[in-house]
Amino acid sequence: MHLATRLEADETLFTAWSGVPDALTVEIVAAQAFDAVTLDMQHGGHHEDSVVRGILPVMHAKKHPVVRIPVGRFDMASRALDFGAEAVIAPMVNSVADAQQFAAAMKYPPVGERSWGPTYAFPRHKGSDYNTWLGDMNARTVSFAMIETRAALDALDGILDTPGIDGIFVGPADFSIAWSNGATVDGSLEDMMETVASIARRTREAGKHAAIFVVDPNMAGRFVSMGYRFMALGTEPKYIALGAEALLKAARGS
Ligand code: 3PY
Ligand code: MG
């Protein structure tokens, strides 16, 4: 089943967050019980080549491949889709103009201006001819605009109204920096939680998907009750550190 279909069904989904640009590492991450794997080109080490190669093990594990592009690199959104990504997350979408550019790269006409060429995506997602593909793809690809600044919050209604924007993805670390005027970086900052809840509510009222990066896993249930349904947990250093800690604790009996 496609990620878009599962989001439409209001399923609660967790994505891994991968920053190590290596297909074998992505394969190990994808083998865990996540629903999706996001390959991060903004702060992670992923680049075009590792995205092309990393999407394959994600698909083989029957997980949804997702890509976060670098800031303002909306051309990479089209390329990530051409490589087979089912969703793209664009960081720092701070204005309606940013949202329009992102949507233009994500969607074929008449919604956007995505250029034709699903070079890897077509053979990777078999089972349709090119014209079926063209007809289906705008509904099957998910565009998440990241809200992580005060400007983005001010522009939220316009971003939500932008055709081709399917969802909002809150970046709580950057949002906390903006919220505290640079005093702290804390993705669980209690002060901003009412606003974080209101972003989910407004997003759902607009008929779009609400997503967030979960820094403290104990807060995931709270985010679900706010209306968030697509949540990220990461990254490899954390997976390795937590795994090693649990192993040693068990071995040492402490
Ligand atoms: C943020 O919290 O700012 C993010 O971009 C999530 O990685
Ligand atoms: Mg961020």
Side-chain angles (χ1 to χ4, degrees), residues 158-199:
I159 292 170
L160 284 168
D161 276 350
T162 304
I165 296 297
D166 301 307
I168 293 301
F169 196 114
V170 174
D174 277 310
F175 197 73
S176 70
I177 295 175
W179 193 258
S180 67
N181 277 327
T184 187
V185 52
D186 175 2
S188 308
L189 194 67
E190 195 50 48
D191 256 23
M192 65 185 191
M193 285 304 148
E194 214 178 296
T195 302
V196 168
S198 77
I199 294 172

Side-chain angles (χ1 to χ4, degrees), residues 11 40 43 45 74-75 126 142 154 167 170 194 209 253-254:
E11 274 191 61
D40 185 15
H43 296 299
F74 301 117
D75 58 317
K126 291 191 196 83
V142 183
D154 291 344
V170 174
E194 214 178 296
H209 308 301
S254 62

Side-chain angles (χ1 to χ4, degrees), residues 69 71-72 74 90-106 145-146 149 151-152 155 159 162 165:
I69 57 176
V71 175
F74 301 117
M92 295 284 177
V93 173
N94 290 332
S95 64
V96 173
D98 288 348
Q100 285 168 341
Q101 282 187 68
F102 178 39
M106 286 293 289
M146 287 195 77
T149 63
I159 292 170
T162 304
I165 296 297

